[in-house]
Amino acid sequence: VADEPGGGLNAALAHGAAVVRAARPEIPVAALNADLPALRPTELARVLAAAAQFPRSFLPDAAGIGTTLLAVAPGRELTPAFGTDSRARHRASGAVELSPGGVDSVRQDVDTGGDLRSALALGVGPRTAAVAARLLIAGQ
């Protein structure tokens, strides 16, 4: 989907959800952060199963401030509020906060060097590991 209407991440996500819904109105929709280098498919499946129990829900990031996933049931608007303090904004908008256990890889986004170290400890793919090794060598 083209990056429209050009109003930032939340506008792009709302546009993408609308495009999906125009073609397939009967399906749920979820937005997932791209900065999850330790993401494990089984953990994501667990989060999506938990999200399916609610009309609109979100998963907070590991820091407890942001959001890594926002999901809605068929017929519901995504209404994303990503950015600074998105956890509080998503909660205030009526989305249910998910708290399934054992989903650290879905919660561990990377905003800081400490976040990257935490993701590395969870285990990342070979390309992320290679880039992180170069960064660590350069930072010595």
Side-chain angles (χ1 to χ4, degrees):
V1 174
D3 186 8
E4 295 176 5
L9 176 62
N10 291 316
L13 290 171
H15 172 70
V19 170
V20 169
R21 285 288 169 72
R24 307 230 5 233
E26 76 285 359
I27 64 169
V29 173
L32 178 69
N33 282 2
D35 62 341
L36 298 168
L39 183 66
R40 301 287 180 261
T42 55
E43 292 182 22
L44 177 57
R46 197 172 307 131
V47 172
L48 292 172
Q53 305 304 307
F54 303 99
R56 188 163 170 268
S57 59
F58 72 97
L59 184 70
D61 66 7
I65 299 168
T67 302
T68 59
L69 180 134
L70 176 65
V72 292
R76 301 290 181 143
E77 294 295 320
L78 190 63
T79 318
F82 286 91
T84 305
D85 298 323
S86 63
R87 178 185 190 184
R89 288 199 316 268
H90 283 127
R91 188 184 307 138
S93 73
V96 173
E97 183 172 324
L98 300 172
S99 58
V103 296
D104 294 342
S105 77
V106 190
R107 297 187 69 215
Q108 188 57 66
D109 61 349
V110 177
D111 297 321
T112 68
D115 292 341
L116 178 57
R117 285 187 287 283
S118 294
L120 291 168
L122 289 171
V124 297
R127 292 180 188 211
T128 301
V131 170
R134 286 195 303 271
L135 290 172
L136 291 172
I137 290 169
Q140 291 181 351

